[in-house]
Amino acid sequence: MVSFQARGRWAALLLAGLTPVLAELSLGNPPLRQAWLLLLWTPIYGAGTVLIRDLVRRAGRGWGSVLLLGLAYGIVEEGLALQALTSPAMYGAAGWAPRVLGLNSAYTELNLPYHAVFSVALPILLADLIVPSLRHRPYLGRAGLVTAGAVFVLGALLLRWTASFVDPGYVLPAAAAAVFVVLVAGLAVLALRVVPRPAVAAGGPAGGAARVPAPPVVAVAALVAAFGYLALLFPFGGAAHPAFTRGGWVAAPMAGAVLLAVAAGALLRRWTAHGGWRDRHSLALAGGALVGHTAFGVAANGDTAADRLSLAGLGLVMIVALALLARRTR
């Protein structure tokens, strides 16, 4: 009989390995021919998501706290480690849209929510569906939690070191670094101390099944929301600015992305507040969002036809894996 501690460690390793695959590889960043880069990213991605999950479980909080800590994770990775939120040169992001208070505005709007959802919330959701017996419990003990925190910090330092070769000479201004640290600390306090604990058990009050659509509808909605959000903010197809806009018109897709995110969040909150929401709906939500973001990766991220074909093949493998998980979930 496998002990709880051993199952928790295996679940933590599963989540740590799953996170960079879902967040980066399945988007085509990097292409499959450069999948070895995940070895450099797994410490910050994997340990970060495991750390967030266990802190939220220990505090007895819910998905709102997961998303807030996901935003904090995005600030650490993009703001402090990569320093891409403020760099005038990295990825050409400064040219996507006007810079606001020293931030690459469109890049920031794209990547902070992206990390909250695809680097943190969805990997945790899938891990909970794969290992349902540990869904409401932390994976690690105190020593494991400290270890995850240490690996996360080392992973951030490793990412900072590699980023220095991509964007040589840029140094994050001290004022910006201080603001990022304060924001991360504030989001952590808000997530773990202020956000209320879930008022009802998973599934919500009885009698709400009629208000929850069938899982295929949830999957399609998630696919459209994920693809739409990325397409509105990430320049692709030779465009220099979001959604092929120019000049002041860049504000239109940026505002559209905000409206899309708010609408998707409100709809999801409404659906999950009732008793009809089940694991098959959660899996449909995760699957639709992942398929949508991989479809966008095929359209936008492939440098060559071979890259696009390999990413499409990875997408098919992901769909098969989700279908197998769906059979087990039913």
Side-chain angles (χ1 to χ4, degrees):
M1 194 73 175
V2 180
S3 67
F4 166 75
Q5 290 82 359
R7 285 188 292 126
R9 287 193 293 268
W10 279 112
L13 289 174
L14 168 69
L15 177 56
L18 197 61
T19 299
V21 173
L22 297 182
E24 296 290 347
L25 193 64
S26 65
L27 185 62
N29 181 30
L32 279 177
R33 55 186 166 83
Q34 294 179 331
W36 59 270
L37 287 170
L38 294 188
L39 297 175
L40 301 176
W41 300 342
T42 296
I44 185 171
Y45 273 101
T49 303
V50 170
L51 181 66
I52 287 171
R53 184 195 179 279
D54 271 31
L55 287 174
V56 171
R57 292 296 183 268
R58 287 174 177 272
R61 264 61 182 187
W63 288 106
S65 295
V66 169
L67 291 171
L68 287 173
L69 289 177
L71 288 175
Y73 170 88
I75 294 172
V76 172
E77 180 180 322
E78 299 288 348
L80 294 172
L82 287 174
Q83 300 183 0
L85 297 185
T86 55
S87 171
M90 183 171 278
Y91 308 140
W96 292 8
R99 284 164 59 90
V100 178
L101 299 176
L103 291 175
N104 299 325
S105 57
Y107 184 90
T108 301
E109 183 183 349
L110 170 66
N111 280 279
L112 294 190
Y114 180 87
H115 282 302
V117 174
F118 287 94
S119 301
V120 176
L122 290 184
I124 290 173
L125 177 58
L126 283 176
D128 285 349
L129 291 171
I130 294 170
V131 192
S133 62
L134 301 179
R135 179 177 304 178
H136 303 296
R137 305 181 66 172
Y139 289 153
L140 303 173
R142 292 186 181 274
L145 193 65
V146 171
T147 300
V151 172
F152 173 66
V153 172
L154 292 175
L157 293 174
L158 176 62
L159 194 62
R160 171 85 292 272
W161 177 72
T162 58
S164 67
F165 295 99
V166 179
D167 190 17
Y170 177 71
V171 178
L172 179 69
V179 170
F180 290 155
V181 169
V182 169
L183 285 174
V184 169
L187 287 168
V189 171
L190 187 63
L192 300 176
R193 298 297 182 190
V194 178
V195 171
R197 292 178 173 85
V200 295
R211 304 191 184 197
V212 180
V217 177
V218 175
V220 170
L223 187 155
V224 171
F227 189 99
Y229 191 84
L230 294 172
L232 283 169
L233 292 173
F234 184 83
F236 67 100
H241 309 286
F244 303 94
T245 54
R246 292 185 179 184
W249 285 104
V250 72
M254 293 177 68
V258 172
L259 292 175
L260 179 61
V262 170
L267 193 61
L268 181 60
R269 183 178 178 86
R270 178 182 175 186
W271 287 344
T272 56
H274 297 284
W277 189 268
R278 297 288 184 264
D279 281 354
R280 61 183 184 273
H281 295 95
S282 295
L283 182 58
L285 174 72
L290 289 170
V291 170
H293 107 302
T294 298
F296 179 78
V298 172
N301 266 347
D303 294 330
T304 66
D307 287 343
R308 290 189 288 273
L309 285 173
S310 62
L311 181 57
L314 178 62
L316 291 175
V317 171
M318 181 175 64
I319 290 172
V320 171
L322 289 167
L324 292 174
L325 181 57
R327 289 184 61 184
R328 199 182 91 174
T329 301
R330 283 197 298 268

